[in-house]
Amino acid sequence: MKHSYEEVFQLFMESISGNLSPDEEEYVQKMLVEDSAFKNIWQSLQQKSDSLKAGDFLANINVEDDLHLLKSKIVPFKKKTFNIFSIKKMATAAAVIIFVMAGTYFFVGANKIVNRDQIVMAVEKNKQSINLRLANGSTLVLSKDSGSKTIALSNVTISTGNGRLQYSSADTMQNTLSVPEGDSYKIVLSDGTEVWLNAATSLRFPFHFYGKQREVYVDGEAFFKVTKDAAHPFIVHTSLTQVQVLGTSFNVNTYNQGNVKTALVEGKVTTTSNDGKRMELKPGFAADYKLLQGFESATFDEEEVCSWLKGVYYFHNMPLTELAAIASRCYGIKIELDKKTLAGKSITGLLNTSKLSDFLNDLETAAEIKYYYSGNQLHLQ
């Protein structure tokens, strides 16, 4: 039997207020064992309850006084036939609503959260993992914690730790490292080339390079610090271009469909489109390739373009729609603009990818934008 969030929430509130009947208690215990969805909602409510000391709050509620207060605050409904509730059920309902009115629990409707700290907790809980998909089809889940870990497989030894992946292998088959929204990761390739992957980015690469060229494939955004090897050019493939280098540092961004941006920090690169157009870059210049217009070149601000490597984004008079897309990737949460008037609003500031709480605070205090969280979406009002 599938339970709605509201049903589990009602049972939970009855439980912490001591109003579960023996049959209901037995049913809850049964669901916690047999129904994983029920268990996940229950445990989530338990964690929030523990952090807010909800049980202590409900234990001190005066049922008679609070029912009277409840009646004075609720706008009467149109006439409708209701089932008859026991006084204990009414007491629980009163406690829940008063709890929300007091601003302690911050539930508005079904799992609708407006408290900043609770939103941060919910987003963190829903974050996806960093995955390495091997050529044989198996997948390894990688951790960003500071503890080092060594994984020995039949054809490769992998070392992870502190947001970094290294390996030793003679296998030339292609593997894919996928970094989800809300995260970043670093990998050291077999030739010593270092690659930083931004959020929502994948890198396809062999454990061991072979042949005359060192080739990888990127989708998303990545910064490369390529080990120099004149005899074996390094080539980065995107869906629209190829970037060829010997030894250099550059940033590649393919986030926007039909557009690839290559920004050269040091060295020299040649970028070529799939239709044969070419552009050579010098340090401090970026190639902006658009599918319909071709290549354009201009200088770029290294601090701004590469700031994501330090976990920050700078934005100046950026439309909120564009900022919402960037923040969605950075924090791993879909952002919706509930008011059409917000689309034309522009914002200047700094976004720290590890501090969602600060971002929400800035939206509210500097930009006067309200928000709430529901269904793994952040709604801006």
Side-chain angles (χ1 to χ4, degrees), residues 268-311:
K268 182 179 180 181
V269 304
T270 299
T271 177
T272 308
S273 63
N274 291 342
D275 58 5
K277 295 184 176 68
R278 295 168 60 89
M279 177 172 283
E280 289 188 358
L281 289 177
K282 294 181 180 180
F285 283 81
D288 188 354
Y289 178 80
K290 292 183 174 66
L291 189 58
L292 298 180
Q293 289 89 358
F295 281 109
E296 291 183 357
S297 178
T299 58
F300 71 96
D301 185 333
E302 181 181 339
E303 184 178 11
E304 183 175 331
V305 171
C306 299
S307 63
W308 67 268
L309 293 166
K310 300 177 182 178

Side-chain angles (χ1 to χ4, degrees), residues 320 323 339 341-342 345-348 358-371 379-381:
L320 187 57
L323 178 60
K339 291 183 178 179
T341 54
L342 291 178
K345 192 177 184 70
S346 294
I347 300 178
T348 296
D358 288 354
F359 176 69
L360 295 176
N361 181 66
D362 290 344
L363 283 179
E364 188 169 16
T365 57
E368 298 181 338
I369 295 174
K370 299 295 183 182
Y371 53 81
H379 295 260
L380 305 184
Q381 299 177 306

Side-chain angles (χ1 to χ4, degrees), residues 139-170:
T139 299
L140 299 177
V141 176
L142 306 179
S143 173
K144 285 192 67 175
D145 59 34
S146 58
S148 60
K149 183 178 181 181
T150 300
I151 305 171
L153 304 175
S154 58
N155 60 347
V156 61
T157 299
I158 297 173
S159 299
T160 66
N162 202 26
R164 175 182 171 126
L165 170 69
Q166 289 183 286
Y167 54 84
S168 175
S169 175

Side-chain angles (χ1 to χ4, degrees), residues 102-306:
T104 307
Y105 208 82
F106 301 101
F107 273 101
V108 185
N111 201 23
K112 187 174 177 181
I113 309 173
V114 298
N115 175 260
R116 204 162 52 239
D117 293 337
Q118 292 295 318
I119 291 175
V120 172
M121 288 173 58
V123 172
E124 187 66 26
K125 180 180 178 182
N126 288 318
K127 283 183 67 172
Q128 297 180 333
S129 61
I130 300 169
N131 294 323
L132 175 63
R133 190 173 186 275
L134 304 179
N136 62 12
S138 60
T139 299
L140 299 177
V141 176
L142 306 179
S143 173
K144 285 192 67 175
D145 59 34
S146 58
S148 60
K149 183 178 181 181
T150 300
I151 305 171
L153 304 175
S154 58
N155 60 347
V156 61
T157 299
I158 297 173
S159 299
T160 66
N162 202 26
R164 175 182 171 126
L165 170 69
Q166 289 183 286
Y167 54 84
S168 175
S169 175
D171 193 339
T172 58
M173 299 295 287
Q174 295 286 321
N175 312 282
T176 302
L177 176 60
S178 298
V179 180
E181 292 184 341
D183 233 324
S184 60
Y185 204 71
K186 179 182 177 181
I187 178 173
V188 181
L189 303 178
S190 60
D191 65 339
T193 292
E194 298 175 282
V195 188
W196 289 259
L197 304 182
N198 203 352
T201 298
S202 63
L203 177 74
R204 185 154 58 91
F205 66 99
F207 279 137
H208 183 75
F209 290 114
Y210 67 99
K212 296 181 180 180
Q213 299 178 148
R214 298 169 287 166
E215 299 181 77
V216 298
Y217 300 77
V218 67
D219 182 27
E221 183 170 28
F223 184 87
F224 291 83
K225 189 173 183 180
V226 178
T227 298
K228 194 167 185 177
D229 182 352
H232 301 89
F234 193 95
I235 299 178
V236 178
H237 295 272
T238 74
S239 61
L240 301 176
T241 63
Q242 300 84 46
V243 183
Q244 181 171 330
V245 304
L246 295 177
T248 186
S249 300
F250 61 98
N251 193 80
V252 176
N253 185 328
T254 74
Y255 281 139
N256 295 326
Q257 189 173 6
N259 180 212
V260 177
K261 296 180 180 180
T262 305
L264 181 62
V265 175
E266 62 179 35
K268 182 179 180 181
V269 304
T270 299
T271 177
T272 308
S273 63
N274 291 342
D275 58 5
K277 295 184 176 68
R278 295 168 60 89
M279 177 172 283
E280 289 188 358
L281 289 177
K282 294 181 180 180
F285 283 81
D288 188 354
Y289 178 80
K290 292 183 174 66
L291 189 58
L292 298 180
Q293 289 89 358
F295 281 109
E296 291 183 357
S297 178
T299 58
F300 71 96
D301 185 333
E302 181 181 339
E303 184 178 11
E304 183 175 331
V305 171
C306 299

